[in-house]
Amino acid sequence: MDMKSLYLLIALAPLAGSLIAGLFGWAIGRRASHVVTILGVAVSAVLSLKVLSGFISGQTEVFNGSVYTWLTVGGHEYAVGFLVDKLTAMMMVVVSCVSLMVHIYTIGYMQEDPGYQRFFSYISLFTFSMLMLVMSNNFIQLFFGWEAVGLVSYLLIGFWFKRPTATFANLKAFLVNRVGDFGFLLGIGLVLAHFGGSLNYNDVFAAAPALANKTIQIFPGVEWSLMTVTCILLFVGAMGKSAQFPLHVWLPDSMEGPTPISALIHAATMVTAGLFMVSRMSPLFEMSDTALNFVMISGTITALFMGFLGIVQNDIKKVVAYSTLSQLGYMTVALGASAYSAAMFHVMTHAFFKALLFLGAGSVIMGMHHDQDMRNMGGLRKYMPITWITSLIGSLALIGTPFFSGFYSKDSIIEAVAASHLPFAGVAYWALIIGVFVTAFYSFRMYFLVFHGKERWMENHGAHHGHDDDHDDEEPSTDHHHGLGPNDKPHESPWVVTLPLLALAIPSVLIGFFAIEPLLFGDFFKGAITIDALKHPGMHELAEEFHGPVAMAVHALSTLPFWLALSGVVVAWFFYLKAPQIPAAIKQQFSAVHKVLENKYYLDDLYFNLFAKGARALGTLFWKVGDMLLIDGLMVNGTAKLVGVFSRLTRKLQTGFIYSYATTMIIGVLGLMTLWFAGIILR
Amino acid sequence: MFTNLLSLVIWTPIVAGLLVLTTGGDQRAPLARWLALAGSLAGFLVSLPLYTGFNDLNGGMQFEEMRPWIQALNINYHLGVDGISMLFIVLNSFTTLMVVLAGWEVIEKRVAQYMAAFLIMSGLINGSFASLDAMLFYVFFEAMLIPMYLIIGVWGGPRRVYASVKFFLYTLLGSLLMLVAFIYMYFHAGKTFEILAFHDMKIALSVQMLLFVAFFLSFAVKVPMWPVHTWLPDAHVEAPTGGSMVLAAITLKLGAYGFLRFALPILPDASRELAWVMVALSLVAVVYIGLVALVQSDMKKLVAYSSISHMGFVTLGMFMFLGTNMNQWAVEGALVQMVSHGFVSAAMFFCIGVMYDRLHSRNIADYGGVANKMPIFAAFMMLFGMANSGLPATSGFVGEFMVILGAVQVNFWYAALAATTLIFGAAYTLWMYKRVIFGDIGNSHVAEMKDVNKREFLVLAILAITVLGMGLYPQAFVSKMHLSVNDLIAHVAQSKL
């Protein structure tokens, strides 16, 4: 099989599964639907692994070719096509493998759901879209995949479409993403307009160096660097998709969707599309320090301030969601520091351990009979041992415990930012350092609340059967799920759920150790990621200090991040297991701060009142005043009335009486004669 | 090989329509329906060779026919199509077929007359697109108003009289000025109504300006452009489903086509001078109307406003001048948008019609949770809603994308304002979808709704295939228009002073 057919097969296999389950799921039933979709994704996963191993062993060449011509305009061809290099191959493996795990997990998680086939169809469609996105060799297909994953995300957040909160969340997610796409599309427009008329990556990157000093006038008379404007607009797209401040507001709400897709889409893969895109565009971003600074600022705010929000959440999924936001912020900061490889490295490790944490949370939720409130949990380790161990592994990886995968990627990011020479890097560095403590604190707050301590589901019975009144309004009002009954105990999940947990735990521990050297300091990303080493020497400096993964981990024991992470764990242990009265007292003492955090810095309210309500007010104004009053009332019906009035007047002239006609005639004749006489006299 | 193909395309539906009329009263309604289906199918089939037999390498007129008609005034029955008009004839014949299926058992009164009106109108519309003689064009263009007037006035909703009169007067007033312009050009060109002769004559700028205003009033009403758009929401709301489908899919396109066939090539200098006005009005349509669509409580009105907003992209793309040149991305984007909007708006109106047939309400508030009772329908409407929001892989994306990318080359802010449709388009479409389709079953009426029947499924499926097909392979349409568009751009680039 030639490579093109192979890549086509990788992309299309999940699509085929999706179409079969989606169009004929009603006929072939549940079992056949999950079999066919899992088969499709398994084909992609196996072949992707084969491609990646081919790249690692050096047998596979970079592939860049088109499949079919989508459009021709002005002599340029715009084709659907693939660019598969090591960067793409890595993403393909991450996407297809996590997707495969999530597919298997779904068999257990969704087994009672009436929309079973639909769900499998959606997640396979997502896998197809995401693969098309990462495998694209041009901007148009990138945008295709970009919007397609957004569509599936929309469909899946609103999967339980009866819940008002779910359909609110999915509309919000789609629209916020569209704001990002607005910038993204204009960025693509600038690329088309100024980079020679092609939208193929290679042509654009080849044209870029000559445009380094080109300026354009967005505002008349003000010259801005083309590269800066283009890159910032493209990054606005990434801000939407990868949920960076200030377009991050959709991601926490997206937890309305079933947990498997929170793992797949809203943690491991789709939200990393923006980061992947920026890495792919590194030849452009490298030419604008302004854009890189912009990226770094956005990432810094996200990394730190979203972490704070994770501390006050009581919904287990929300904690993991804010942790995802914060980690995406870390990756974005790395992009800003020109450490694209470190960002992609963290994308990969994060995909595994965050998918693990989400699926673990999902397993807990199942064990708790679809209760998501951590205040009703506690002591679950006895009842759900596999979930417990794997969740612990995921948490340790997340907080950056030496030798775990998250340690290598996160520490590399922090080091890279420390080595960056951008003006904002100093602030970013300290924000990330503080973030380490915050991450450890909220992660282990969750861990201790869920798996250790008192078994609170016994005592809280009445409370969670009704509705917790101090919950925020996104708390899902479950339809057929009720939480544990009076005589129920939490139970470990079936093997289809625990197997993916175990499978994901392995890379969560190991992948960092083995991958760091080739990925960051070898030439794995050579040719895929471009760094201007003269302007941004950070990664080179890091490479000189790197003496192997073991040395790195050992050295880390004497550094600030490690001790901060450790103290985060200890404080969490003390607060939530030893002295639970302390956090309550702090909450009392700093109730104003707590309120701000609980209300997510009031950004949602601001956006809703300003944009959603504002647009409706403006629309009403245009409609009622512009269309109905001015155009229709004054102009259209006004004209009609005027014609009416005029015809009424003229009608009065046509009285039908001989004498009135005669009078008019005589007056007319007299008038003409006057004119005639006047003419004679004047002459 | 096809000598009189265009005549066949024009007269087949008209003759079929007259035949349907002979079935008379409603006691023979089934016969009328089947006859109408056969006629519209025949009309569609005879239009297909226009596409398959079209020579991509020829930018000029093809399938030409020429017969004298009124010799004293040198008016000829002169037909021909280029890569632009050909697409719309096929689109129109296709839409007519959909309309006949859409009205099948929904229309119970005066079935023969209803079907006949659509068939005859279809032929007249084909005639307008195929005319190469200005007088012939005018006759078809005006004659088309009559069946549409009747469709709204006879089979329409409660305020049908107001709506149909408004529609009729609005469009008639505009086109009278076009007639004046034609008569002026007739004398100026040496007593001929040949459109292609009009294309080649020199006209002073001041005269060009006046003629442009005349054309503008006629075509802008049809498109419709802000601020002469208010007839459209009223007409749509009162029109039966089929009427809305044709109105949105085809008749609006005639206005835009008029700009392309008459205003731009005959009056290139005035077009350039006044391009900024056209651009401004188009952008108002995109932004202002987009916001107006957001606050509609009537589904049909919402989609009607969304039509105006989408047509804003068409006029925007046509008047996107870079120096003296029209921008190829933008012009072809405008044309793609026209075809795509034909599919998508027809589908949207059909979807609303399907729900209306069950609940007899167009009010968003009367629905809620339709997906619970009509899952298949909900899936189709999601697809069309996404196409209406311009999602890639649907036809709705291609045109908007091309126009926006063309606009960036001309002026960043044109593009930025146009690109707000990404947000507004999604907002008004999906918010409506959320309130109508999602949620728990809203009331007892919704609880009694039944999912689509076979006929409805057929229409939805065909439209879904076209929407996806055009989104995945727009080249099939664009390759036909390249050379004609190139010719047009080259022609418009030359001053006629």
Side-chain angles (χ1 to χ4, degrees):
Chain A
M1 185 163 33
D2 66 328
M3 292 315 275
K4 190 162 121 180
S5 318
L6 178 75
Y7 295 136
L8 265 177
L9 183 61
I10 291 177
L12 293 180
L15 178 67
S18 166
L19 289 177
I20 294 171
L23 297 179
F24 306 108
W26 57 273
I28 60 175
R30 291 172 162 240
R31 202 182 144 74
S33 294
H34 76 231
V35 167
V36 71
T37 47
I38 288 175
L39 209 62
V41 176
V43 166
S44 294
V46 169
L47 294 179
S48 297
L49 281 167
K50 191 176 152 233
V51 170
L52 183 68
S53 68
F55 272 114
I56 291 170
S57 66
Q59 286 166 337
T60 308
E61 300 272 301
V62 173
F63 177 89
N64 188 2
S66 57
V67 177
Y68 75 89
T69 302
W70 183 70
L71 186 71
T72 55
V73 187
H76 284 284
E77 285 204 356
Y78 302 91
V80 171
F82 296 138
L83 167 63
V84 183
D85 55 9
K86 287 177 184 168
L87 177 62
T88 302
M90 187 197 93
M91 287 300 287
M92 283 160 63
V93 168
V94 170
V95 170
S96 56
C97 288
V98 175
S99 175
L100 181 62
M101 291 304 117
V102 169
H103 270 76
I104 295 170
Y105 180 93
T106 299
I107 298 174
Y109 196 85
M110 300 297 284
Q111 62 184 350
E112 290 164 16
D113 201 283
Y116 192 80
Q117 290 96 320
R118 185 163 60 99
F119 191 85
F120 274 100
S121 173
Y122 285 170
I123 52 176
S124 274
L125 182 64
F126 170 79
T127 312
F128 161 73
S129 310
M130 191 70 199
L131 286 170
M132 288 302 276
L133 191 163
V134 298
M135 291 167 77
S136 167
N137 72 349
N138 65 81
F139 283 86
I140 296 183
Q141 189 184 330
L142 174 71
F143 195 71
F144 262 66
W146 195 264
E147 294 277 281
V149 292
L151 165 72
V152 189
S153 162
Y154 167 83
L155 292 172
L156 282 167
I157 296 170
F159 184 78
W160 287 316
F161 58 81
K162 285 185 194 177
R163 296 183 189 174
T165 46
T167 57
F168 176 82
N170 77 344
L171 185 61
K172 177 173 167 184
F174 199 86
L175 293 182
V176 173
N177 266 294
R178 271 291 167 113
V179 174
D181 297 344
F182 166 82
F184 194 43
L185 188 59
L186 291 174
I188 295 175
L190 284 179
V191 169
L192 179 78
H194 296 285
F195 288 66
S198 171
L199 285 175
N200 277 343
Y201 295 155
N202 280 1
D203 299 335
V204 171
F205 297 157
L211 299 167
N213 298 316
K214 188 177 163 78
T215 56
I216 51 169
Q217 294 191 352
I218 296 290
F219 294 100
V222 190
E223 296 286 343
W224 279 349
S225 154
L226 168 69
M227 214 54 81
T228 300
V229 178
T230 308
C231 288
I232 288 181
L233 284 171
L234 291 175
F235 180 69
V236 169
M239 283 159 76
K241 198 106 299 177
S242 292
Q244 295 300 299
F245 175 85
L247 297 182
H248 63 277
V249 290
W250 63 272
L251 188 70
D253 290 15
S254 77
M255 295 301 125
E256 284 297 332
T259 306
I261 64 112
S262 305
L264 176 62
I265 301 184
H266 304 120
T269 56
M270 183 188 83
V271 287
T272 62
L275 310 160
F276 167 79
M277 185 270 288
V278 174
S279 300
R280 192 38 100 208
M281 303 299 151
S282 58
L284 306 184
F285 279 83
E286 277 302 289
M287 292 165 73
S288 170
D289 276 9
T290 316
L292 287 174
N293 244 315
F294 185 86
V295 171
M296 197 184 260
I297 292 172
S298 177
T300 305
I301 296 173
T302 314
L304 185 60
F305 288 92
M306 295 306 123
F308 288 146
L309 296 185
I311 298 174
V312 298
Q313 303 302 318
N314 289 320
D315 182 325
I316 182 169
K317 278 182 77 180
K318 284 278 167 71
V319 179
V320 191
Y322 280 107
S323 137
T324 305
L325 274 175
S326 167
Q327 294 304 307
L328 290 170
Y330 273 80
M331 302 172 206
T332 306
V333 174
L335 296 175
S338 294
Y340 307 99
S341 51
M344 293 316 292
F345 183 32
H346 201 49
V347 163
M348 179 181 73
T349 58
H350 177 260
F352 291 119
F353 66 68
K354 191 50 67 67
L356 171 60
L357 279 171
F358 257 122
L359 296 184
S363 178
V364 167
I365 293 169
M366 286 170 74
M368 293 293 298
H369 284 227
H370 291 269
D371 184 357
Q372 303 186 187
D373 195 328
M374 296 193 297
R375 288 170 300 187
N376 301 331
M377 299 175 185
L380 288 186
R381 69 181 189 283
K382 273 188 275 177
Y383 303 92
M384 311 181 75
I386 302 177
T387 307
W388 165 50
I389 289 293
T390 50
S391 293
L392 177 62
I393 290 173
S395 301
L396 288 172
L398 169 62
I399 68 167
T401 315
F403 296 103
F404 281 70
S405 66
F407 158 74
Y408 288 104
S409 51
K410 194 198 266 184
D411 224 46
S412 306
I413 288 177
I414 294 172
E415 290 302 317
V417 174
S420 168
H421 298 296
L422 287 187
F424 195 72
V427 181
Y429 175 74
W430 283 106
L432 297 195
I433 289 286
I434 298 169
V436 170
F437 173 80
V438 176
T439 308
F441 180 69
Y442 66 64
S443 300
F444 274 80
R445 170 179 174 263
M446 177 179 88
Y447 170 77
F448 290 129
L449 280 177
V450 173
F451 293 106
H452 294 264
K454 271 199 289 190
E455 300 175 355
R456 288 182 300 275
W457 70 85
M458 308 288 282
E459 60 204 60
N460 282 9
H461 245 321
H464 71 257
H465 262 272
H467 223 297
D468 282 302
D469 41 298
D470 61 337
H471 266 212
D472 42 23
D473 49 358
E474 285 93 2
E475 181 70 17
S477 53
T478 44
D479 353 302
H480 54 285
H481 313 304
H482 301 288
L484 290 174
N487 302 314
D488 289 344
K489 282 201 169 28
H491 56 84
E492 183 60 290
S493 305
W495 70 270
V496 284
V497 169
T498 49
L499 178 76
L501 295 180
L502 293 168
L504 286 167
I506 297 167
S508 298
V509 179
L510 296 178
I511 195 110
F513 184 87
F514 290 107
I516 182 167
E517 193 155 0
L519 244 54
L520 293 194
F521 308 117
D523 55 0
F524 187 81
F525 287 131
K526 198 176 171 201
I529 287 172
T530 306
I531 299 178
D532 185 345
L534 286 178
K535 270 159 67 190
H536 309 124
M539 284 311 285
H540 275 260
E541 291 169 16
L542 247 62
E544 282 161 23
E545 292 166 16
F546 181 75
H547 305 293
V550 178
M552 182 174 170
V554 172
H555 172 252
L557 298 178
S558 62
T559 59
L560 194 55
F562 171 75
W563 291 100
L564 281 172
L566 188 63
S567 50
V569 176
V570 172
V571 172
W573 168 78
F574 190 72
F575 275 19
Y576 292 97
L577 286 187
K578 275 317 249 185
Q581 69 277 15
I582 296 182
I586 293 176
K587 194 167 147 185
Q588 286 267 292
Q589 194 70 36
F590 298 96
S591 62
V593 178
H594 188 260
K595 205 162 173 220
V596 169
L597 291 180
E598 206 155 50
N599 286 291
K600 303 164 261 175
Y601 309 111
Y602 293 97
L603 274 177
D604 289 69
D605 301 318
L606 178 76
Y607 288 175
F608 187 78
N609 287 318
L610 194 64
F611 299 122
K613 284 195 179 162
R616 275 152 66 182
L618 212 56
T620 311
L621 180 80
F622 286 154
W623 182 38
K624 297 261 160 143
V625 177
D627 266 30
M628 284 166 75
L629 187 72
L630 293 180
I631 297 176
D632 250 10
L634 225 59
M635 282 161 60
V636 178
N637 296 343
T639 312
K641 278 195 194 110
L642 204 66
V643 172
V645 170
F646 186 71
S647 51
R648 230 170 294 140
L649 285 177
T650 45
R651 197 159 58 225
K652 280 188 185 143
L653 297 178
Q654 300 190 350
T655 52
F657 296 116
I658 297 274
Y659 63 84
S660 70
Y661 290 142
T663 318
T664 319
M665 257 171 71
I666 291 167
I667 292 171
V669 169
L670 279 176
L672 283 173
M673 281 174 71
T674 318
L675 277 175
W676 184 53
F677 279 122
I680 290 172
I681 291 162
L682 285 176
R683 194 171 58 188
Chain B
M1 144 185 180
F2 306 106
T3 40
N4 289 321
L5 188 57
L6 281 173
S7 282
L8 204 61
V9 169
I10 295 169
W11 297 103
T12 303
I14 295 181
V15 170
L18 294 174
L19 261 176
V20 171
L21 271 185
T22 61
T23 61
D26 281 340
Q27 63 277 17
R28 288 160 78 185
L31 178 65
R33 290 188 186 114
W34 284 105
L35 215 54
L37 181 62
S40 58
L41 190 62
F44 177 57
L45 290 178
V46 294
S47 77
L48 280 181
L50 288 178
Y51 180 87
T52 52
F54 191 82
N55 180 1
D56 290 4
L57 304 174
N58 176 2
M61 292 299 164
Q62 305 186 24
F63 306 103
E64 273 194 73
E65 287 175 41
M66 177 74 164
R67 288 186 196 85
W69 182 24
I70 306 175
Q71 275 167 320
L73 293 170
N74 194 16
I75 298 173
N76 299 306
Y77 178 80
H78 187 185
L79 304 175
V81 287
D82 61 1
I84 297 167
S85 46
M86 180 272 288
L87 292 173
F88 295 102
I89 293 180
V90 180
L91 176 68
N92 175 46
S93 305
F94 169 80
T95 309
T96 308
L97 185 59
M98 292 297 107
V99 163
V100 169
L101 285 172
W104 198 253
E105 82 263 342
V106 177
I107 300 295
E108 292 165 340
K109 288 189 185 130
R110 301 198 185 93
V111 178
Q113 290 80 347
Y114 176 86
M115 295 294 182
F118 278 104
L119 283 166
I120 293 170
M121 186 162 62
S122 171
L124 297 172
I125 292 169
N126 283 343
S128 331
F129 280 118
S131 297
L132 290 180
D133 184 287
M135 238 21 235
L136 187 65
F137 172 82
Y138 186 77
V139 169
F140 279 128
F141 191 79
E142 294 298 292
M144 197 187 72
L145 290 180
I146 300 166
M148 185 50 98
Y149 172 75
L150 292 175
I151 287 165
I152 300 173
V154 176
W155 291 273
R159 287 181 77 227
R160 57 180 179 266
V161 176
Y162 172 76
S164 58
V165 170
K166 195 171 175 183
F167 159 76
F168 195 79
L169 288 182
Y170 237 124
T171 42
L172 186 70
L173 276 177
S175 43
L176 282 175
L177 285 164
M178 176 171 70
L179 181 64
V180 175
F182 282 160
I183 292 171
Y184 173 85
M185 289 191 282
Y186 169 76
F187 288 109
H188 194 75
K191 298 205 173 176
T192 176
F193 279 113
E194 279 296 312
I195 294 172
L196 296 180
F198 289 173
H199 284 190
D200 291 330
M201 60 190 179
K202 303 250 177 241
I203 311 176
L205 186 60
S206 55
V207 182
Q208 280 199 28
M209 293 289 212
L210 282 174
L211 292 172
F212 189 92
V213 170
F215 279 140
F216 171 82
L217 283 174
S218 153
F219 297 134
V221 166
K222 263 278 183 331
V223 169
M225 298 177 74
W226 188 88
V228 286
H229 64 280
T230 56
W231 63 272
L232 187 76
D234 284 319
H236 269 308
V237 165
E238 301 306 324
T241 301
S244 285
M245 287 167 76
V246 173
L247 198 57
I250 307 296
T251 50
L252 306 190
K253 308 305 178 302
L254 265 172
Y257 173 77
F259 279 115
L260 216 55
R261 182 63 83 221
F262 296 100
L264 280 158
I266 299 176
L267 314 164
D269 304 283
S271 300
R272 269 193 293 277
E273 289 287 322
L274 295 173
W276 67 273
V277 181
M278 299 297 288
V279 168
L281 294 180
S282 307
L283 290 172
V284 169
V286 173
V287 179
Y288 168 116
I289 299 292
L291 286 167
V292 171
L294 191 63
V295 295
Q296 298 306 312
S297 55
D298 179 315
M299 287 191 280
K300 252 190 161 178
K301 251 191 181 157
L302 193 151
V303 179
Y305 275 110
S306 129
S307 274
I308 303 171
S309 180
H310 284 120
M311 288 305 284
F313 272 89
V314 175
T315 44
L316 180 69
M318 287 181 180
F319 285 87
M320 204 46 43
F321 280 96
L322 192 61
T324 58
N325 281 319
M326 297 161 84
N327 182 295
Q328 190 168 13
W329 274 88
V331 179
E332 295 195 354
L335 286 165
V336 171
Q337 174 81 347
M338 282 162 75
V339 177
S340 154
H341 182 255
F343 296 135
V344 177
S345 62
M348 287 301 284
F349 279 118
F350 181 72
C351 283
I352 294 169
V354 166
M355 288 191 283
Y356 184 82
D357 294 341
R358 285 160 176 70
L359 220 62
H360 299 286
S361 168
R362 293 180 310 264
N363 233 330
I364 294 174
D366 291 341
Y367 290 84
V370 172
N372 297 294
K373 303 306 288 182
M374 304 178 70
I376 299 174
F377 172 77
F380 275 117
M381 193 166 166
M382 171 52 58
L383 172 70
F384 299 127
M386 282 296 164
N388 205 40
S389 321
L391 197 86
T394 67
S395 65
F397 167 73
V398 189
E400 287 178 12
F401 175 75
M402 291 174 77
V403 171
I404 292 171
L405 259 55
V408 179
Q409 299 166 27
V410 175
N411 183 320
F412 181 81
W413 292 108
Y414 293 171
L417 282 171
T420 57
T421 194
L422 281 180
I423 303 159
F424 297 147
Y428 59 68
T429 312
L430 298 183
W431 191 35
M432 172 181 83
Y433 190 88
K434 168 181 182 278
R435 287 175 292 168
V436 172
I437 306 289
F438 285 149
D440 225 334
I441 294 173
N443 54 53
S444 56
H445 298 293
V446 173
E448 285 165 18
M449 288 173 93
K450 290 214 163 49
D451 212 336
V452 288
N453 60 31
K454 281 184 186 142
R455 175 187 59 85
E456 290 163 337
F457 184 86
L458 181 70
V459 175
L460 290 168
I462 295 173
L463 286 168
I465 290 167
T466 53
V467 164
L468 283 174
M470 191 175 177
L472 292 172
Y473 192 55
Q475 181 70 357
F477 297 83
V478 175
S479 62
K480 299 283 171 194
M481 64 176 72
H482 275 322
L483 285 184
S484 300
V485 170
N486 282 348
D487 280 7
L488 177 73
I489 292 173
H491 188 89
V492 174
Q494 289 164 0
S495 172
K496 295 178 103 194
L497 299 175

